[in-house]
Amino acid sequence: MTTTLATEETRVATITTGLDRLRRSLHTGSRIAAPYRAAAEPAWHSSYVAPAAERPPVTARMASFGYRERELHGRADLVDDLAMTGPVRLLTPDGAAALRGICQNLEASAVHNDYVVSRRLRGVESLSPFVHAMVRDPVFLDTVSRLVGVPLIPHPLRDAGVQINYYEAAADASRAPLVAKWHLDGMNYVFTMTLSDHAEHQGGDYIYYRGHPRDFASRREEITAQGARHPDVHIAPFQHVGDTMFTRGSRVYHAVTPVTRGHRITLAVSLFCPLLGDQDENRFWHSAPDDGLVRTLNNWNALRRAVRRPASYCRREDIPIRPLARRSAARD
Ligand SMILES: [Fe+2]
């Protein structure tokens, strides 16, 4: 029997540049591999949001990643310096099981993604009524806002906002072994929820570098060569279906090691702080190769509206504005 062994070596994800970016942005093919039957989904209920968790095992501020005060997000009256926290359960076991079933059914629609090691489905909010309702639910938004310490709403870049990643062992052992690819996200507030138990797969670990991107760059060779064995690289302790980690994805280098046995599904929910919208770190050309120019322009207009007039954006999009109360009055 032949097995595929993943190397422990990692590398930095290749970002498309120049003409390649433009060529990929002009694609007009379908963004999903197969149609999805949304009508078969169970309905979302606010009662699926789990009661607030006790202290999560991992909680780290930006200072412990080497960030200086002047580099932090936030403003004088709103501290925003959480680097990561978790795992927490955002949903009850019933809620997580319903979401797992939905994401399993959505797998046929996922497309290959060569930026990270997975097949991926973007724009999940527009495919799944359950997920659409979840990320707009006031109880859900209250829970995640409290966890991070700033008000959060669904990200206006709708296609990048909620994504599902599907990981599995390479079927063809003769191909080059899969490699974990280090990267920073465009998103500032990323909640990664595993929808698989760790016992269902080998590999598939979320690893992160506990340090500043500047240090990552200067130590790049040793970090990529040692991967998870590097003393400043840690494994996020995901264990069970529903376990969720918050990460400031745009500021913390991370990667996922290849799955060598079994199957792993994660849901990545990226949120947006309407009070700190001008600190959003997404770049147009980061999502255009995935979503195409037209969709990216539409998404970008929504982001601009949310940055300039957050309260009217929320009203128009039917997003509960309770977390914005008082603070945004002066801006909108
Ligand atoms: Fe990422």
Side-chain angles (χ1 to χ4, degrees):
M1 193 180 83
T2 333
T3 51
T4 306
L5 286 178
T7 167
E8 288 181 15
E9 201 169 296
T10 63
R11 69 176 165 88
V12 176
T14 317
I15 298 170
T16 54
T17 49
L19 272 181
D20 183 44
R21 233 176 221 194
L22 183 62
R23 184 181 54 76
R24 291 171 60 153
S25 304
L26 292 172
H27 72 82
T28 50
S30 173
R31 67 195 183 88
I32 57 170
Y36 172 64
R37 270 191 13 125
E41 279 192 359
W44 164 261
H45 296 288
S46 288
S47 60
Y48 281 153
V49 179
E54 357 37 276
R55 228 179 117 71
V58 175
T59 294
R61 303 269 153 201
M62 297 303 286
S64 65
F65 281 70
Y67 281 86
R68 304 196 185 112
E69 187 133 3
R70 61 181 158 76
E71 296 178 293
L72 302 180
H73 293 131
R75 60 187 199 204
D77 63 340
L78 187 63
V79 176
D80 185 21
D81 73 335
L82 187 63
M84 62 195 315
T85 193
V88 292
R89 300 286 182 92
L90 292 180
L91 303 183
T92 61
D94 281 356
L99 186 56
R100 172 179 156 110
I102 287 166
C103 292
Q104 285 171 334
N105 288 338
L106 278 162
E107 181 160 4
S109 306
V111 294
H112 180 72
N113 177 286
D114 55 9
Y115 181 55
V116 292
V117 183
S118 70
R119 278 177 307 125
R120 166 170 288 186
L121 187 63
R122 290 167 70 82
V124 176
E125 228 200 297
S126 56
L127 291 169
S128 163
F130 184 100
V131 171
H132 181 89
M134 177 180 85
V135 297
R136 282 169 164 63
D137 187 292
V139 184
F140 180 84
L141 290 175
D142 260 11
T143 302
V144 289
S145 300
R146 274 177 217 282
L147 208 56
V148 181
V150 298
L152 295 170
I153 63 170
H155 203 285
L157 296 182
R158 193 72 73 86
D159 287 317
V162 185
Q163 308 189 20
I164 310 172
N165 294 314
Y166 299 95
Y167 305 86
E168 63 208 348
D172 181 357
S174 64
R175 290 172 60 178
L178 299 170
V179 175
K181 296 176 188 169
W182 290 101
H183 64 281
L184 295 171
D185 300 329
M187 297 289 185
N188 293 347
Y189 311 98
V190 184
F191 291 82
T192 305
M193 182 186 296
T194 181
L195 293 170
S196 312
D197 269 316
H198 206 289
E200 294 177 77
H201 57 87
Q202 255 166 24
D205 287 316
Y206 180 111
I207 57 175
Y208 61 96
Y209 172 65
R210 191 157 176 143
H212 198 286
R214 180 178 55 227
D215 303 328
F216 183 94
S218 63
R219 306 170 76 189
R220 178 177 160 151
E221 273 181 30
E222 59 179 270
I223 296 167
T224 50
Q226 294 175 37
R229 289 177 289 115
H230 190 281
D232 291 325
V233 171
H234 299 269
I235 300 177
F238 289 106
Q239 280 302 320
H240 303 295
V241 172
D243 280 358
T244 305
M245 292 286 301
F246 161 75
T247 319
R248 195 168 301 262
S250 57
R251 297 285 180 96
V252 174
Y253 258 105
H254 59 278
V256 177
T257 64
V259 164
T260 54
R261 183 190 59 78
H263 202 81
R264 178 179 185 242
I265 303 179
T266 58
L267 182 77
V269 178
S270 294
L271 299 171
F272 175 79
C273 177
L275 303 183
L276 303 171
D278 53 355
Q279 297 177 8
D280 189 271
E281 299 205 24
N282 283 288
R283 297 289 169 265
F284 184 88
W285 288 105
H286 189 89
S287 41
D290 279 316
D291 301 323
L293 272 184
V294 174
R295 291 186 75 95
T296 306
L297 280 170
N298 284 335
N299 285 328
W300 218 254
N301 282 333
L303 176 58
R304 261 198 228 112
R305 283 199 304 275
V307 170
R308 288 184 189 151
R309 296 175 59 81
S312 54
Y313 170 81
C314 287
R315 272 193 297 274
R316 183 172 155 171
E317 296 288 325
D318 201 19
I319 294 167
I321 56 172
R322 191 167 48 171
L324 292 183
R326 287 204 323 272
R327 287 181 183 272
S328 69
R331 284 170 64 107
D332 211 27

